[in-house]
Amino acid sequence: MALTDVKIKNLKPKAKSYKVSDFDGLFVAVQPSGSRLFRFKYRMDGKEGLLSFGKYPDVSLLQARQKWDDARKLVAAGINPSAARQEGNVLRQQENANTFEKIAALYLAKITIEGRAPATLKKVSSFIAIANKDFGRLPINDISSAIVLKTLKKSEAKELYETAHRIRSTVGAVFRYAIANGLAENDPTFALRDALIRQKTKSRAAITDKDALGGLLRAISGYNGQNTTRLGLELLAIVTTRPGELRLAEWAEFDFEANVWKIPAERMKMRIEHAVPLPRQAIKLLLELKEETGHGRLLFPSTRSFHRPISENTLNAALRRMDYTGEEMTSHGFRATFSTLANESGLWHPDAIERALAHVERNEVRRAYARGAFWDERVKMSEWWAEFLDELRTG
């Protein structure tokens, strides 16, 4: 007769284990300890097999019969249910090993080897840490768009809109890495492209009025703080690189015979080496700076350690000491100043100006052309710009 819950509950333990059948191979094995275990006996290829479904009442009679039905169908199809279970366990173990946290660590190792800038690696690590806190231990294929969105909404709730977008981008990069390596099936961040608030981009403050720029240059010349900071601001005004590229500059990158500064690819935003022509005014400033810091590796070492560069806030802090607010001018703003006034002059090809700013052409053929085609013009433009700044400084 078929078992019932009442019958199973009333089964008493004996000195030796015994079994009570349900039907067609399904039975309950009663242990001397009192445990009642669901088991299924089957035959395949003339051999007997035994499958365990768990302990009653952790596994109900209804659940045991469902497991029995699934296993019986496998037997009927010529599939050994024990082997299928082992294979399923292996797959589950693999899924558990492929957590977001572990794959994100592999992705981070990859971009580290590729030479991403330390600042970039630090930001990526921080975004991954935020994601790991919420779903790092989940198998990557179990992470849905809704799970990721819940994390992103936390940043939105704090009005950290840009952070939310960057977390989404970083999580998406991890998923694309996993997909490329056969560890994930899809990228849940793709569906979230329009789910987040887009904050209106605010341009960095920059002075583009010629008279005002002349006043700024005079203020920098009269700066009474660290002399290396003054030299940094004067150099930045001439070379118009990104502040971080100058802040981390090393003496080995400068060729004083060819009058050129070659910034290595790993420090550039687009990971492409950038050459900067150096007019005589820049060379003069560099030689003055070399007397102070030329015995070390860095152009602008920290006052605390010659092995570390000045902080990213040093140049902006100097502008504030000169009474220029963040709404008026930033160290990064020298790039916009140069771009605006160089374009307004009508003397230079717009592509040469873009190349001077290391704005990379997306088309590979045009990019390869632009790298060499505008060098002579860029040399002349750098000389014009340095002379132009001198004129504004003297009023």
Side-chain angles (χ1 to χ4, degrees), residues 40-299:
F40 171 48
K41 183 189 291 186
Y42 62 94
R43 294 189 70 84
M44 280 198 70
D45 301 324
K47 296 181 180 179
E48 187 176 274
L50 189 65
L51 203 60
S52 178
F53 293 150
K55 182 172 69 173
Y56 181 89
D58 295 341
V59 175
S60 68
L61 178 59
L62 182 62
Q63 290 172 326
R65 285 175 175 167
Q66 182 60 58
K67 291 174 181 286
W68 161 83
D69 188 52
D70 293 339
R72 187 176 59 85
K73 289 176 181 176
L74 290 174
V75 172
I79 300 172
N80 190 317
S82 294
R85 172 182 283 184
Q86 290 175 1
E87 185 177 344
N89 288 338
V90 170
L91 289 174
R92 278 191 293 275
Q93 289 173 1
Q94 290 176 343
E95 287 181 353
N96 291 335
N98 294 333
T99 61
F100 177 86
E101 186 175 33
K102 292 179 180 178
I103 295 174
L106 294 174
Y107 169 73
L108 190 58
K110 170 183 174 290
I111 63 174
T112 301
I113 293 171
E114 290 174 345
R116 298 288 182 91
T120 299
L121 294 173
K122 184 178 179 180
K123 289 177 182 177
V124 171
S125 296
S126 67
F127 298 143
I128 287 175
I130 292 171
N132 280 342
K133 186 176 180 181
D134 286 350
F135 51 80
R137 294 185 181 181
L138 291 179
I140 198 160
N141 282 316
D142 289 353
I143 300 171
S144 64
S145 298
I147 290 174
V148 178
L149 183 60
K150 186 176 180 180
T151 297
L152 303 180
K153 287 296 184 182
K154 291 180 181 179
S155 292
E156 273 200 347
K158 300 175 185 177
E159 297 185 359
L160 301 174
Y161 305 122
E162 181 64 22
T163 298
H165 280 277
R166 292 194 175 191
I167 295 171
R168 186 195 74 84
S169 177
T170 301
V171 171
V174 172
F175 269 92
R176 290 190 294 277
Y177 170 81
I179 292 169
N181 287 277
L183 302 174
E185 297 172 0
N186 61 77
D187 174 11
T189 67
F190 184 78
L192 302 177
R193 289 178 300 170
D194 299 319
L196 301 174
I197 296 171
R198 291 194 177 277
Q199 190 174 25
K200 187 176 180 180
T201 303
K202 184 178 180 181
S203 299
R204 292 182 175 90
I207 291 175
T208 56
D209 177 78
K210 295 177 184 178
D211 291 339
L213 178 57
L216 170 62
L217 295 172
R218 288 189 290 275
I220 293 173
S221 296
Y223 181 65
N224 59 7
Q226 287 282 340
N227 190 47
T228 52
T229 303
R230 172 187 66 81
L231 291 170
L233 286 170
E234 291 189 330
L235 266 173
L236 195 60
I238 295 173
V239 298
T240 65
T241 60
R242 297 176 180 88
E245 293 158 5
L246 182 65
R247 182 174 66 87
L248 300 172
E250 301 182 7
W251 287 111
E253 298 165 4
F254 290 80
D255 185 339
F256 287 96
E257 292 185 5
N259 292 346
V260 63
W261 169 26
K262 289 187 177 180
I263 308 175
E266 58 267 23
R267 285 226 316 281
M268 295 302 298
K269 183 177 181 179
M270 302 306 293
R271 297 295 175 266
I272 297 175
E273 182 186 77
H274 182 58
V276 180
L278 300 171
R280 61 177 179 81
Q281 291 89 338
I283 294 294
K284 181 181 178 181
L285 293 170
L286 286 166
L287 292 177
E288 182 180 347
L289 181 64
K290 198 172 181 64
E291 292 182 3
E292 295 196 36
T293 66
H295 56 285
R297 176 174 58 90
L298 299 167
L299 270 71

Side-chain angles (χ1 to χ4, degrees), residues 1-5 7-8 20-24 26 61 65:
M1 292 179 64
L3 290 171
T4 64
D5 280 302
K7 289 181 180 180
I8 295 173
V20 179
S21 296
D22 189 32
F23 54 84
D24 200 8
L26 179 64
L61 178 59
R65 285 175 175 167

